Amino acid sequence: MTDVDVIIIGAGFSGLGAAHRITERNPGTSYVILEQREQIGGTWDLFRYPGVRSDSSIFTLCFPWEPWTGEERVADGVHIREYLTATAHKYGIDQHIRFNSHVRSADWDSSTDTWTVTVEQGGTEKIYRGRFVFFGSGYYNYDEGYTPDFPGIGEFAGSIVHPQHWPEDLDYTGKKMVVIGSGATAMSLIPSLAQKASKVTMLQRSPTYLFSSSRYSRTADALRKVLPRRVAHLIIRQRIALLEAVSWFLARKAPGFIRRVVRRAAIRNLPHGYDVDTHFKPRYNPWDQRPCLIPDADLYAAIGEGRAEVVTDRIDHIDSTGIVVKSGAHVDADIIVTATGLQLQALGGVTVSIDGGEIKPQDRFVYKAHMLEDVPNLFWCIGYTNASWTLRADMTARATAKLLAHMKSRGYTHAYPHRDGEPMPEKPAWDIQAGYVLRSLHALPKSGTQRPWNVRQNYFADAIDYRFDRIDEAMVFGRADQPAAIR
């Protein structure tokens, strides 16, 4: 058995950020990071498909305490992995990571105020015990992506690939490829695939909002030349976060304006006479689903050069040589890529129990977007739907560190959020209408409509709340009768 103060699950942005913030504010705190995979990176180690990149600015995706020094503002997956690995090594976080550690369960013991975490490591079971558990394991199932049960899929004679598990040895040179889907994954894949494949077809049921911007930032370059690195990074980060917030606000308050802006950009970048309204005019309002970023309009460029095409239709069935759509047309394919989304999952699929009784995260309200109702000393990191993941992840890590310091200074061994029992209206924790969210709402914890139980998608409002946060709001603190000696 290994005893530590804090058990962190996941070695991606969330887990590494939590390790830094917790020990920064609470020097001497012992911790371990349990990572299911063989190396650092989380999502950015899992996704290895061609063209994988950040779908928001790297200046807000990176850590606020470790500036991004690369030239690009939309970073490739390999550079993000390198950044995370280098950061973990620089701050000594990598020494605390235990790789190939699949967390199976976590049980809270109220008599000692400790979590017992059961982990599978290389086929053997190992036990970790800690005062606190921090889930930096994201929001989806790492083991299995989502693929609809397409009629006739078993008849296809070529290869079928899900981007979540891209084969390293897949040779698509000169092949006809069909990418099913029109989300961020498809938008990243297609321009890259088109460089080697003979033809790439994006098959979508309906269009997505696409925003094009330069892969590089002249403003960021100028600021980094005249200001100290950390000062420049802070200004760049806040500027981009503000621009993202303003664009989201405009999309919600003036959707017609954003529609026109997006449509004009498509017309400007696509060949003259292209059927923009069929393939790039969404039926829903901006930000009802998350829009996609296409750096330097690379998708439009691939279409204009004849290396990629778009088919907007529904799938009727799959046969041995491709896909038949509802209109009766046949889309030839040697390889089908199912960029059809994720399967949502709370707390990494770990079985969580209190004194032996299992709890279901979906039955609990979320407190300040990072704790669960009546669950002691447990934290869950989840990002925004309308901004970079790390904006909220860093806030969650700092809130965790702040609570740990508060408890230590007063001798508390447990803390949990508690409602007063009054009925409270519920709302979805994620307010976008994406398919992967709508089909899995039952998997996520509940959001209320009143603070501190209201999960918002508003970074600046949350940042203000955090600054003036009352740490004892709706919180129950206490001490175990016989607290375990962790160290």
Side-chain angles (χ1 to χ4, degrees):
M1 180 182 293
T2 300
D3 289 358
V4 291
D5 294 317
V6 185
I7 299 169
I8 299 171
I9 301 172
F13 272 106
S14 302
L16 300 181
H20 176 76
R21 289 301 197 185
I22 289 171
T23 54
E24 177 186 50
R25 183 153 187 163
N26 302 273
T29 299
S30 62
Y31 70 94
V32 65
I33 299 177
L34 303 175
E35 170 54 51
Q36 180 178 344
R37 301 181 63 76
E38 297 179 355
Q39 53 193 359
I40 289 168
T43 291
W44 299 103
D45 180 60
L46 174 67
F47 287 115
R48 300 294 189 105
Y49 58 81
V52 60
R53 65 195 180 202
S54 59
D55 63 349
S56 56
S57 171
I58 189 61
F59 292 112
T60 51
L61 181 63
C62 72
F63 298 118
W65 40 271
E66 182 58 27
W68 176 261
T69 59
E71 295 182 355
E72 66 271 48
R73 68 174 176 183
V74 178
D76 295 332
V78 63
H79 294 147
I80 296 174
R81 288 196 301 274
E82 290 170 354
Y83 166 81
L84 289 170
T85 302
T87 300
H89 181 71
K90 177 179 178 179
Y91 291 89
I93 299 171
D94 54 354
Q95 300 175 23
H96 299 262
I97 303 174
R98 305 294 177 263
F99 294 107
N100 299 306
S101 299
H102 193 169
V103 178
R104 297 298 189 181
S105 64
D107 181 63
W108 172 259
D109 182 356
S110 297
S111 66
T112 59
D113 278 359
T114 54
W115 283 100
T116 298
V117 175
T118 303
V119 181
E120 182 182 321
Q121 292 179 338
T124 61
E125 184 180 285
K126 186 166 183 178
I127 303 298
Y128 290 83
R129 188 175 65 160
R131 183 76 68 209
F132 304 91
V133 172
F134 185 100
F135 280 86
S137 48
Y139 63 98
Y140 65 89
N141 187 331
Y142 269 49
D143 296 327
E144 187 176 351
Y146 174 74
T147 300
D149 186 16
F150 296 118
I153 195 168
E155 303 299 319
F156 184 60
S159 301
I160 299 176
V161 179
H162 193 288
Q164 190 166 320
H165 301 288
W166 193 271
E168 289 186 21
D169 59 352
L170 181 66
D171 182 10
Y172 54 91
T173 304
K175 303 290 187 179
K176 296 188 292 289
M177 304 188 72
V178 176
V179 178
I180 303 174
S182 58
T185 299
M187 300 306 168
S188 301
L189 263 169
I190 292 167
S192 181
L193 295 176
Q195 295 175 15
K196 293 170 59 177
S198 64
K199 183 180 181 181
V200 181
T201 302
M202 180 173 79
L203 176 55
Q204 60 177 8
R205 290 183 301 177
S206 60
T208 298
Y209 284 99
L210 305 182
F211 290 90
S212 175
S213 64
S214 173
R215 187 179 292 269
Y216 302 95
S217 172
R218 293 180 181 178
T219 302
D221 289 343
L223 287 171
R224 290 195 289 190
K225 288 177 181 178
V226 299
L227 295 173
R229 188 179 69 163
R230 288 187 177 275
V231 174
H233 179 62
L234 177 62
I235 295 173
I236 295 165
R237 182 180 174 83
Q238 291 303 315
R239 174 182 174 273
I240 292 175
L242 180 60
L243 288 175
E244 290 174 347
V246 169
S247 66
W248 176 82
F249 179 81
L250 283 175
R252 306 310 287 174
K253 299 300 182 182
F257 170 73
I258 298 299
R259 279 178 176 270
R260 290 191 293 273
V261 170
V262 170
R263 186 173 184 274
R264 281 199 296 267
I267 293 172
R268 184 172 64 252
N269 287 285
L270 287 165
H272 179 72
Y274 188 87
D275 190 357
V276 170
D277 288 344
T278 294
H279 303 303
F280 292 106
K281 185 181 178 182
R283 295 190 291 266
Y284 54 88
N285 280 331
W287 274 111
D288 283 353
Q289 297 184 27
R290 188 177 175 109
C292 296
L293 180 65
I294 50 172
D296 299 325
D298 57 0
L299 176 69
Y300 295 148
I303 293 171
E305 294 164 5
R307 296 181 287 116
E309 69 171 4
V310 180
V311 173
T312 303
D313 207 333
R314 300 182 73 89
I315 294 174
D316 184 81
H317 67 277
I318 296 175
D319 61 21
S320 61
T321 59
I323 300 174
V324 179
V325 295
K326 292 292 186 179
S327 65
H330 188 276
V331 184
D332 295 338
D334 299 311
I335 301 173
I336 294 175
V337 181
T338 55
T340 45
L342 309 166
Q343 296 199 74
L344 296 193
Q345 180 175 261
L347 305 182
V350 175
T351 301
V352 177
S353 55
I354 297 178
D355 296 326
E358 183 178 354
I359 67 164
K360 299 294 185 181
Q362 58 267 34
D363 295 336
R364 307 283 172 137
F365 281 95
V366 181
Y367 172 85
K368 296 181 181 178
H370 69 271
M371 295 186 76
L372 297 181
E373 173 189 11
D374 293 329
V375 181
N377 296 16
L378 182 146
F379 308 91
W380 180 39
C381 187
I382 193 75
Y384 289 108
T385 60
N386 59 2
S388 290
W389 178 274
T390 317
L391 290 174
R392 177 178 273 161
D394 186 64
M395 204 177 307
T396 293
R398 287 186 289 139
T400 301
K402 182 179 178 181
L403 181 61
L404 266 60
H406 177 84
M407 293 175 63
K408 184 177 181 180
S409 68
R410 290 160 175 78
Y412 295 130
T413 56
H414 68 253
Y416 58 88
H418 179 71
R419 292 193 304 120
D420 57 12
E422 292 291 326
M424 181 169 54
E426 298 178 26
K427 69 168 192 173
W430 283 12
D431 57 356
I432 57 174
Q433 304 300 307
Y436 73 93
V437 174
L438 295 178
R439 65 173 171 262
S440 303
L441 287 173
H442 62 280
L444 298 176
K446 299 184 290 186
S447 170
T449 56
Q450 305 165 16
R451 68 177 318 279
W453 309 98
N454 180 8
V455 179
R456 296 179 298 198
Q457 304 299 327
N458 189 324
Y459 165 65
F460 285 98
D462 285 346
I464 293 170
D465 255 9
Y466 172 78
R467 189 169 186 83
F468 299 100
D469 182 47
R470 290 192 299 108
I471 201 165
D472 59 349
E473 181 182 17
M475 288 290 288
V476 176
F477 295 96
R479 303 171 182 84
D481 294 334
Q482 296 178 328
I486 294 297
R487 300 177 67 191

